[in-house]
Amino acid sequence: MKNMKTRLIVGLDLPDRTTAEKLVTTLGDSVSFYKIGYQLAFVGGLELARDLLKEGKNVFLDMKLLDIDNTVASGVENIAHMGVTMLTLHAYPKAMRAAVEAAKDSGLCLLGVTVLTSMDDADLRETGYAEGAEALVLRRVAQARDAGMGGVVCSAQEAQKVRALVGSDMAIVTPGIRPAGSAAGDQKRVMTPADAIRAGSSHLVVARPITQAPDPRAVAEAIIAEMRSAIV
């Protein structure tokens, strides 16, 4: 946990590969881990992922896979061959079990997405869930643990209870991280970097507070310093 540089994941939620490459250049050696999701994946993001891996960076593919078991397994096998570090899928038990079998011996860390940090209890009720966010997160975390997943994605607000449930081995990756004074945007369950680390998060995903900053490198370095301060 002490090497916080490897625990900060910068979300490349940007409109095109050129913009993403400029940010990576600006951040330089201050950042070693990047997330590539839907927005960038379809405009050269997968090719960029391969280039980042060649440069020695870690890559988190945020694909949130969910499909029939065979399709999930086939997709996971191909992604594992890319050599990326982390991959997300929605935390449905059958999908997770298929993914774990497909990724066996590959070194790929599979993450089960529990409840999106842009959703709260009211959103879940509208969707048809009887459970609130925390209860649903904990149920899906237990299912991810039992399926043999490498970790989960949840809000840092649930990280302490999640850590108690999974122990020290599983990764707890938390989006919705906002340094003090940052706008929450469309995130509803947010936390500061230091508080998230204290709560038990292993990795923090930060996008807009860095990507939209006048000096992205300074912000990234400040976040890493705040993360380190939490474990003094």
Side-chain angles (χ1 to χ4, degrees):
M1 282 294 294
K2 291 186 177 180
N3 186 7
M4 290 299 168
K5 183 178 174 182
T6 66
R7 305 288 176 169
L8 172 65
I9 304 174
V10 173
L12 295 177
D13 300 333
L14 296 165
D16 53 63
R17 176 172 176 167
T18 299
T19 305
E21 287 176 329
K22 287 180 180 177
L23 179 65
V24 171
T25 299
T26 297
L27 292 171
D29 61 3
S30 66
V31 171
S32 63
F33 212 149
Y34 289 96
K35 177 182 79 74
I36 293 175
Y38 290 140
Q39 182 177 4
L40 190 61
F42 302 117
V43 285
L46 297 181
E47 292 78 9
L48 176 60
R50 292 183 174 91
D51 290 343
L52 290 172
L53 291 167
K54 289 176 184 176
E55 294 171 12
K57 303 290 187 182
N58 292 317
V59 173
F60 166 18
L61 280 189
D62 189 16
M63 296 290 100
K64 298 184 180 73
L65 302 180
L66 182 61
D67 212 308
I68 63 172
D69 297 358
N70 184 65
T71 301
V72 168
S74 297
V76 169
E77 286 177 3
N78 287 336
I79 291 169
H81 291 153
M82 291 176 63
V84 300
T85 311
M86 290 177 166
L87 169 70
T88 52
L89 58 147
H90 282 289
Y92 284 66
K94 287 187 68 181
M96 290 191 291
R97 290 192 292 267
V100 168
E101 180 63 25
K104 188 166 30 179
D105 301 324
S106 70
L108 174 62
C109 180
L110 295 171
L111 303 173
V113 177
T114 57
V115 176
L116 300 178
T117 51
S118 61
M119 301 183 75
D120 58 16
D121 290 353
D123 295 315
L124 290 174
R125 284 194 298 272
E126 182 181 16
T127 306
Y129 287 96
E131 293 174 298
E134 183 177 290
L136 183 55
V137 165
L138 294 178
R139 180 156 62 91
R140 288 180 165 173
V141 165
Q143 291 169 333
R145 178 200 60 200
D146 295 345
M149 297 282 282
V152 294
V153 179
C154 66
S155 161
Q157 292 183 7
E158 295 105 27
Q160 186 171 12
K161 291 183 178 179
V162 170
R163 182 58 70 196
L165 191 60
V166 303
S168 60
D169 292 338
M170 287 179 68
I172 299 178
V173 179
T174 52
I177 301 300
R178 293 292 183 267
S182 296
D186 58 359
Q187 301 285 5
K188 295 182 178 178
R189 291 162 26 246
V190 302
M191 189 173 281
T192 66
D195 286 343
I197 293 296
R198 292 189 191 102
S201 300
S202 63
H203 297 77
L204 310 186
V205 179
V206 184
R208 280 169 286 186
I210 293 174
T211 64
Q212 297 180 4
D215 188 343
R217 181 169 182 137
V219 173
E221 290 174 346
I223 289 172
I224 292 169
E226 182 180 340
M227 292 165 68
R228 289 195 184 108
S229 74
I231 58 166
V232 172

